[in-house]
Amino acid sequence: MISHKKYMELAIKLAERGKGVTSPNPMVGCIVVKRGRIVGKGFHRKAGTEHAEVLAINDAGKKAVNSTLYVNLEPCSHWGRTPPCTEKIVEAGVREVIIGMEDPNPLVDGFRELKFRGLKTKIGILDKEAKKLNEAYTKFMKTKRPFVILKVAMSVDGKIATSTGDSKYITSKEARTYVHQLRSEVDAVMVGLNTVLRDNPELTPRLVKGKDPMKIVVDSKLKIPKNCNLMKNPAKLIIATTNNALKNTIKKFQQKGINVIITKSKSGFVDLDDLMKQLGKHEITSVMIEGGSQLNSSAIKEGIVDKALIFAAPKIIGNGIGAIGSLGIKKIDKAINLKNPIVKKIGKDVLIEGYL
């Protein structure tokens, strides 16, 4: 059993190398082992390219015969953009397949297929770790909506800016680098109009090397300034608005190459639940909200948040702008408890990560 876990850990580590670039596909790593030696490795690099299992088997060549294959996600058994991996595994003469977790995609039945073809097959090795790695893919597969992370950077007394709106920078460079890394791993970063007006952000992962995500601005009346930083790259911009926006303005933005999504209106504002449904149709599988207190509280109230990342800096601001606006909670026993919280230190700051 120990060696199974050891090799699965390696497969998961390999899969992580595809962070940010495989969407809407999952991150998959695969290792081929023969007589206690790794003879082949591969990870999925990009949607539409060869799957990890195929790369690992090609890497192993003839040594794949009578080998054990470790993969963090159930191998596909259907024709998609690429042929089924189960066929390749059987053809290569692999004897045993060890799988981390089952694939939430209903079309995938690789575990049963391999068993049926006479291979020794086990599933559920390090499945907790395998599930965490592909939590966005899993949610997207089951609901056709993106996995939503709420990111907050605040002082230890819960403020994201001073009373004058000054907010640069509450957290340390280490925490900001960590966030830039996350930006490069999600499909999109989302802010409200207020954040654009106040901070004129770029929302790029400039402190790390990585993919530049899509930017989503929630702007119910299309008041976004034409000369703001986010407008410089229209192909990367999605503006979510409502029917309250002028048709003329919508047209102008669309002509610039900006994707304008018109959602249902919720008391005059963008209906975030409807927005998530529409983003899912655009194959956006993960979104990180980096908004102000109003967008943060709306997202929580509308039930779209899956996970919260709260960075607290050892600074006290006093009177200022709170991290999360009103949730209408009157009693402590009605407070939202984060599930499975983890606390990490990043630079001088503390990160609390938990699920809603």
Side-chain angles (χ1 to χ4, degrees):
M1 239 357 244
I2 293 168
S3 64
H4 278 347
K5 281 191 172 159
K6 183 183 85 178
Y7 290 125
M8 188 57 74
E9 255 169 27
L10 290 171
I12 290 172
K13 271 214 168 64
L14 206 51
E16 281 174 356
R17 290 171 63 182
K19 265 190 177 162
V21 290
T22 62
S23 177
N25 284 3
M27 287 171 267
V28 185
C30 180
I31 284 174
V32 181
V33 177
K34 189 166 184 177
R35 298 193 194 101
R37 276 185 54 237
I38 294 172
V39 294
K41 287 193 229 183
F43 70 95
H44 185 45
R45 289 163 191 271
K46 201 179 165 208
T49 64
E50 284 164 315
H51 288 190
E53 299 92 321
V54 174
L55 293 168
I57 285 168
N58 289 346
D59 188 31
K62 291 194 172 78
K63 292 179 185 145
V65 178
N66 281 329
S67 64
T68 302
L69 182 139
Y70 292 84
V71 61
N72 58 298
L73 184 78
E74 183 179 12
C76 65
S77 52
H78 64 295
W79 286 86
R81 296 180 192 181
T82 55
C85 288
T86 46
E87 283 307 306
K88 182 83 178 172
I89 293 168
V90 172
E91 276 168 26
V94 172
R95 188 177 46 115
E96 186 177 11
V97 180
I98 310 294
I99 302 164
M101 64 176 277
E102 68 174 292
D103 193 323
N105 183 346
L107 297 174
V108 172
D109 201 7
F111 174 65
R112 289 235 311 267
E113 173 70 23
L114 290 166
K115 254 191 149 41
F116 175 70
R117 302 287 285 271
L119 277 76
K120 205 171 150 194
T121 314
K122 261 200 189 91
I123 198 163
I125 308 295
L126 294 190
D127 70 328
K128 210 171 117 199
E129 291 82 345
K131 281 175 179 160
K132 188 168 162 69
L133 177 69
N134 277 309
E135 58 193 6
Y137 167 74
T138 300
K139 181 186 179 191
F140 182 71
M141 257 306 148
K142 288 183 170 167
T143 65
K144 291 288 171 256
R145 286 162 183 256
F147 183 85
V148 179
I149 300 165
L150 178 70
K151 176 238 123 182
V152 175
M154 64 182 199
S155 61
V156 78
D157 59 341
K159 302 294 187 284
I160 56 169
T162 65
S163 54
T164 62
D166 185 43
S167 63
K168 281 189 172 42
Y169 284 105
I170 288 174
T171 50
S172 63
K173 177 122 192 224
E174 289 89 339
R176 297 202 307 277
T177 305
Y178 189 94
V179 169
H180 282 216
Q181 183 59 45
L182 290 170
R183 281 181 188 168
S184 77
E185 291 169 9
V186 294
D187 288 348
V189 174
M190 182 161 108
V191 294
L193 174 67
N194 290 343
T195 298
V196 177
L197 296 175
R198 204 182 65 219
D199 300 340
N200 192 15
E202 292 177 47
L203 305 176
T204 59
R206 56 197 176 280
L207 297 175
V208 299
K209 275 197 179 83
K211 179 207 73 190
D212 192 21
M214 294 294 291
K215 327 289 188 275
I216 302 165
V217 178
V218 178
D219 179 3
S220 49
K221 295 195 180 84
L222 278 192
K223 298 268 191 245
I224 185 168
K226 315 259 184 301
N227 56 352
C228 70
N229 284 328
L230 295 179
M231 283 287 197
K232 288 176 188 162
N233 192 349
K236 284 271 177 202
L237 184 59
I238 294 172
I239 302 178
T241 192
T242 62
N243 281 324
N244 300 330
L246 298 168
K247 299 268 177 293
N248 231 357
T249 318
I250 293 175
K251 232 189 199 110
K252 272 185 195 146
F253 281 158
Q254 285 170 332
Q255 280 161 353
K256 280 186 174 166
I258 294 163
N259 190 344
V260 181
I261 292 180
I262 300 160
T263 72
K264 291 177 186 160
S265 171
K266 198 166 192 173
S267 13
F269 294 104
V270 165
D271 180 326
L272 295 177
D273 189 59
D274 184 44
L275 173 59
M276 291 306 126
K277 206 159 116 190
Q278 296 203 45
L279 290 174
K281 288 185 181 140
H282 285 81
E283 286 205 328
I284 286 178
T285 66
S286 54
V287 173
M288 180 158 66
I289 298 174
E290 295 197 51
S293 56
Q294 195 185 342
L295 182 60
N296 292 348
S297 57
S298 302
I300 292 170
K301 277 199 294 211
E302 292 196 37
I304 66 162
V305 179
D306 296 292
K307 183 183 194 173
L309 297 177
I310 298 169
F311 294 86
K315 292 174 184 167
I316 295 172
I317 289 174
N319 241 351
I321 299 168
I324 292 166
S326 171
L327 295 172
I329 291 167
K330 302 276 192 284
K331 287 193 176 319
I332 286 292
D333 64 2
K334 293 281 183 284
I336 296 164
N337 286 309
L338 293 181
K339 299 181 192 84
N340 309 327
I342 300 168
V343 180
K344 299 178 196 167
K345 199 157 181 278
I346 294 176
K348 289 180 178 154
D349 307 317
V350 172
L351 165 61
I352 299 168
E353 176 182 313
Y355 295 85
L356 267 76

